[in-house]
Amino acid sequence: MTTTTEDGRRVVPTCAQVVLRTFWEHYKVSAGTDQREATAVLELMAKKNLRGTFYHIRRLAISHYYAEQGKRRNKDRVIAENLTIEDDAGWERICPPWCVNKKDGWCALVHYWTEDEEFKARSIQNKANRGSGGTHNQGNKPFPLYEKDMLAANGGQEIPRIQVWQTTHKKKELVEGKVVYYGKTEESMSSYSKAFKPLHGEDSNSLSKPLDEMAVMISGGGKLHGRISILNAVHKPTITLPWIRHMTSSSGVCMPPRPRRPTQTSDDARMAEAYEQLHEEFQQKMHEYEVACSASRQHDREQTKALFEALRAGAPPPLYVEPLVVPPLPKMPTKTEFLAQLYGGTPVSALPYC
């Protein structure tokens, strides 16, 4: 399938372009949503799912390779023992059925796994991030389902979400009679408790109270690398660290400084501080953008509902109310772009992040 450009040239689209085009043939964006923004989100999620698919295919192929040799290696053992296939012939021999007629594609995928330096570096970093002792004890059960089971086991009595999260990060084995947690769970819980008490009283127990979003953001220093330190991917914060700083500036609540990487020179420190400030401003604008989008969608739903109710009652349609103005999608420059602007003489406040 080819497409024709404005100057009459015939171009063969890439697989990614075909996926996007096919998707929009079956779906459409809601009223008031920018098509380009929706496509950008779709492309981002497609790339994420593709990486997950590659990861699964690689582990499955290695498992099949060892099964041919009479050695049972499930996915958990492949990950724990960091198993791989050393020779190219081994990779070619276990080419999956869905890839039989596309050997060149399989060879390119194998080359990506075994030769690509960027993939190797990212794989090593991800392995170090995961650690060797696991990250939680809930297995493949989603957190909401685990939370529901805990609620049922507790006779239907409500359990604070923070307490459920702590339970999922508790190791089953005791060490010298003491409870041990995965990773930095204990450190994160301690920071959360310290941030919780000034907000609710020194005698308050953070585990017995509902989750405090402000304490979560303060204890973790905001969303470092896009992640919160507690209940990440489970709870989506509705406030940002700059907003908290603004609201608590006169209330006496102690805001700990955001952790920063040590720098070698004063210039590096100033550059890092300026970029960090820019990122915090971006987070604040992103929060405002999400609130505006939510309000715009709610406005569209109310307008549509009012119209259908009028049609159902045989009344004239209601007066049209102009939709709320949604600001443009904020954009955060990369560090390379930031440095180019910074050393090019452009003030930091004038950088095109929105």
Side-chain angles (χ1 to χ4, degrees), residues 53 65 68 120 161 193 203 211 218 223 232 245 256 277 304 323 336:
T53 302
Y65 173 79
E68 286 185 351
K120 288 183 178 180
R161 175 161 276 194
S193 179
D203 297 333
L211 184 71
I218 294 175
K223 295 180 69 174
N232 184 62
R245 286 200 176 100
Q277 178 65 30
T304 304
T336 303

Side-chain angles (χ1 to χ4, degrees), residues 51 127 149 165 216 269 290 298 338:
R51 288 195 299 269
K127 182 183 176 183
D149 292 345
W165 182 82
V216 171
E290 291 175 351
Q298 180 64 24
F338 173 75

Side-chain angles (χ1 to χ4, degrees), residues 139-161:
N140 60 357
K141 183 184 294 186
F143 185 88
L145 183 57
Y146 192 98
E147 186 179 25
K148 183 179 179 181
D149 292 345
M150 280 193 65
L151 184 66
N154 197 40
Q157 297 183 4
E158 185 177 355
I159 304 175
R161 175 161 276 194

Side-chain angles (χ1 to χ4, degrees), residues 183-194:
K184 297 183 179 180
T185 303
E186 196 166 4
E187 178 184 339
S188 298
M189 291 299 302
S190 176
S191 299
Y192 175 74
S193 179
K194 290 179 181 178

Side-chain angles (χ1 to χ4, degrees), residues 222-244:
K223 295 180 69 174
L224 297 178
H225 306 291
R227 299 169 61 90
I228 55 177
S229 59
I230 294 176
L231 285 164
N232 184 62
V234 175
H235 176 78
K236 185 178 180 180
T238 58
I239 58 178
T240 63
L241 204 60
W243 180 87
I244 297 175

Side-chain angles (χ1 to χ4, degrees), residues 13-77:
T14 64
C15 292
Q17 292 171 338
V18 172
V19 169
L20 294 176
R21 184 174 60 194
T22 305
F23 181 90
W24 291 124
E25 288 175 356
H26 295 83
Y27 299 92
K28 63 180 182 179
V29 298
S30 58
T33 304
D34 192 333
Q35 178 73 41
R36 292 175 298 177
E37 296 174 9
T39 301
V41 173
L42 172 62
E43 187 173 357
L44 183 65
M45 294 305 300
K47 290 179 179 179
K48 182 178 179 180
N49 290 337
L50 183 62
R51 288 195 299 269
T53 302
F54 283 173
Y55 175 83
H56 175 72
I57 291 172
R58 182 173 180 269
R59 300 304 182 191
L60 193 62
I62 295 173
S63 179
H64 287 173
Y65 173 79
Y66 280 93
E68 286 185 351
Q69 301 178 16
K71 302 176 183 179
R72 181 176 175 79
R73 298 289 187 275
N74 58 17
K75 179 183 174 181
D76 293 337
R77 290 195 62 181

